Amino acid sequence: NAGVTQTPKFQVLKTGQSMTLQCAQDMNHEYMSWYRQDPGMGLRLIHYSVGAGITDQGEVPNGYNVSRSTTEDFPLRLLSAAPSQTSVYFCASSYSVRSSYEQYFGPGTRLTVT
Amino acid sequence: GENVEQHPSTLSVQEGDSAVIKCTYSDSASNYFPWYKQELGKGPQLIIDIRSNVGEKKDQRIAVTLNKTAKHFSLHITETQPEDSAVYFCAAGGSYIPTFGRGTSLIVHP
């Protein structure tokens, strides 16, 4: 199993550009989520999905869109990049076993918006 | 929604000492409390978790305690080693999508 994969690893955008961060998991997990990590701010939830075709907003959804057409893929779209979206983005997938809801995180995408 | 406070933000210890990281949560309905470790340049990884029907859980050198009445839980690492140096996150919630604290940077000096 590759686990959770994210592409690209690094990206530089100009203000106003759009792009899609890719996330895929091969563990057949129902739950997937996107977080952003900023210094001193921890992990903040952007959007999440409880299954194919179902998505919902997290704590900081503005400026981002998601879709979940398959169980495996959960792309995050930046509609019009802003410097405030400079961050490290993590995708995660979750499963449950014996009362544990472990989240598996990808390696992250470091995004800089100039 | 849930609000999780985590302290301290930075913790520096000597190898072999114990380290304690504390978190408080606001939503009394939260019943799942995981702890994640993030090494430099990597995504967070679950190291231990506890449910609200358990007061304490131990796994080798790490342990987590939960006080539901006071709404706080703690991570205890004994006999710290340099490889324990990382950022640690607590989280609280219902199940799959918990709310995370802001993280504690643990530095273990050889």
Side-chain angles (χ1 to χ4, degrees):
Chain A
N1 280 355
V4 178
T5 58
Q6 290 184 240
T7 55
K9 281 191 176 301
F10 302 94
Q11 183 70 49
V12 179
L13 289 179
K14 293 189 187 312
T15 297
Q17 288 184 317
S18 63
M19 78 158 295
T20 298
L21 306 185
Q22 301 292 343
C23 174
Q25 53 97 3
D26 61 359
M27 298 172 283
N28 201 33
H29 290 172
E30 283 189 71
Y31 285 73
M32 295 188 73
S33 49
W34 274 102
Y35 295 87
R36 60 177 289 172
Q37 183 175 21
D38 303 292
M41 298 298 291
L43 294 159
R44 292 186 291 169
L45 183 65
I46 304 171
H47 286 284
Y48 65 98
S49 169
V50 302
I54 307 169
T55 64
D56 206 347
Q57 296 181 351
E59 180 187 354
V60 288
N62 291 343
Y64 308 95
N65 270 358
V66 292
S67 60
R68 183 101 180 266
S69 56
T70 67
T71 300
E72 294 78 19
D73 300 298
F74 191 42
L76 177 72
R77 295 183 189 83
L78 278 70
L79 309 174
S80 176
S84 61
Q85 293 178 304
T86 294
S87 187
V88 180
Y89 291 84
F90 288 99
C91 176
S93 69
S94 313
Y95 85 122
S96 171
V97 63
R98 293 192 296 274
S99 298
S100 175
Y101 299 93
E102 179 169 1
Q103 286 185 291
Y104 287 77
F105 285 84
T109 294
R110 184 173 294 273
L111 176 68
T112 302
V113 182
T114 60
Chain B
E2 177 63 273
N3 182 47
V4 178
E5 299 283 341
Q6 182 172 347
H7 299 280
S9 57
T10 305
L11 180 58
S12 185
V13 301
Q14 288 296 128
E15 182 177 359
D17 288 350
S18 294
V20 180
I21 302 170
K22 298 183 178 182
C23 291
T24 61
Y25 62 100
S26 61
D27 189 349
S28 56
S30 287
N31 59 11
Y32 177 60
F33 306 91
W35 287 87
Y36 285 81
K37 175 183 180 183
Q38 184 180 29
E39 296 177 344
L40 196 62
K42 296 185 178 180
Q45 187 170 8
L46 181 74
I47 54 171
I48 194 168
D49 57 9
I50 193 170
R51 295 205 65 92
S52 57
N53 59 348
V54 176
E56 184 173 358
K57 185 176 179 180
K58 195 171 181 179
D59 183 4
Q60 298 182 352
R61 295 187 297 108
I62 60 173
V64 58
T65 59
L66 171 66
N67 183 326
K68 284 193 303 181
T69 304
K71 295 205 207 61
H72 64 71
F73 55 115
S74 301
L75 178 72
H76 304 253
I77 305 174
T78 58
E79 300 172 21
T80 53
Q81 300 166 5
E83 52 264 39
D84 293 330
S85 295
V87 178
Y88 292 80
F89 292 99
C90 65
S95 57
Y96 292 96
I97 311 289
T99 298
F100 284 84
R102 295 192 174 195
T104 295
S105 178
L106 174 64
I107 304 164
V108 181
H109 299 280

